[in-house]
Amino acid sequence: MNTERIDTRQHILDCGHRLVARKGFIGVGLAELLTTAGVPKGSFYHYFASKEGFGEALLETYFAQYLARLDALFQRADLSGGQCLQLYFSRWIETQQGEEAADYCLIVKLAAEVADLSDAMRAIMLSGTEQILGRLADVLARGQQDGSIGNQDPPHELAQWLYEAWLGASLLAKLRRDDSAFVTVMQRTRLLLTLN
């Protein structure tokens, strides 16, 4: 595969990410995507068999990048497990309230929209969230071992509660257009984990 092909495909995905993060998957038409990316229709179909195929590639790319950032944070030797989690959730708040649509969580934006629309896209989102849960469980276990997290409940159960609570807070923040849900979920997170 040559560099031009990779760059064009990735350029379409990058443009699509920004559009979809703002408008949702259904809200972005192919014409708008092509205009934004500055590519002809034939180029789109050279890389993606359909809009759904584009959506699948978009989600696969999103999760690969998200998990790489998560790994880089959670593997930092200079931070305890509890510090890694506090930094993760602080960054969550920043990205969900920022102006840059490319930072928005596609899980929050698309889960309800595509779950009934495309089983293939739903499966990618489910697999991606399960991988996130696994990494959260690992860093929770690390924090329990290093003493920075006082709660000794099973790490996977804690990870599931945290992730679901933070996704819910993200939805409420969109509805309320303020940070009150994030303030509450951060307080509950610190209490639940008894962060030291």
Side-chain angles (χ1 to χ4, degrees), residues 132-134 136-137 140 154-164:
I132 292 169
L133 285 172
L136 285 171
L140 283 159
H156 188 75
E157 290 178 15
L158 289 172
Q160 188 164 349
W161 185 91
L162 286 168
Y163 193 66
E164 291 171 1

Side-chain angles (χ1 to χ4, degrees), residues 6-43:
I6 294 169
D7 290 345
T8 301
R9 183 179 187 276
Q10 190 58 52
H11 175 68
I12 295 169
L13 289 169
D14 291 343
C15 291
H17 183 160
R18 287 188 294 277
L19 289 170
V20 168
R22 276 192 217 106
K23 297 182 169 192
F25 186 73
I26 295 171
V28 175
L30 185 55
E32 180 180 16
L33 175 58
L34 296 175
T35 299
T36 302
V39 297
K41 193 181 239 185
S43 291

Side-chain angles (χ1 to χ4, degrees), residues 24-109:
F25 186 73
I26 295 171
V28 175
L30 185 55
E32 180 180 16
L33 175 58
L34 296 175
T35 299
T36 302
V39 297
K41 193 181 239 185
S43 291
F44 177 86
Y45 285 112
H46 179 72
Y47 300 111
F48 311 103
S50 63
K51 186 178 176 193
E52 183 179 0
F54 162 77
E56 292 169 26
L58 178 67
L59 290 171
E60 287 167 351
T61 301
Y62 171 76
F63 279 110
Q65 293 170 349
Y66 188 99
L67 291 166
R69 286 191 306 271
L70 208 55
D71 289 341
L73 172 61
F74 286 176
Q75 293 170 6
R76 285 183 56 179
D78 62 320
L79 299 176
S80 68
Q83 289 171 322
C84 286
L85 282 170
Q86 289 183 76
L87 187 53
Y88 172 66
F89 290 123
S90 293
R91 287 181 180 171
W92 184 315
I93 294 170
E94 290 170 15
T95 59
Q96 293 310 294
Q97 296 185 128
E99 295 297 318
E100 182 55 48
D103 291 335
Y104 292 174
C105 179
L106 288 185
I107 302 159
V108 171
K109 186 70 175 181

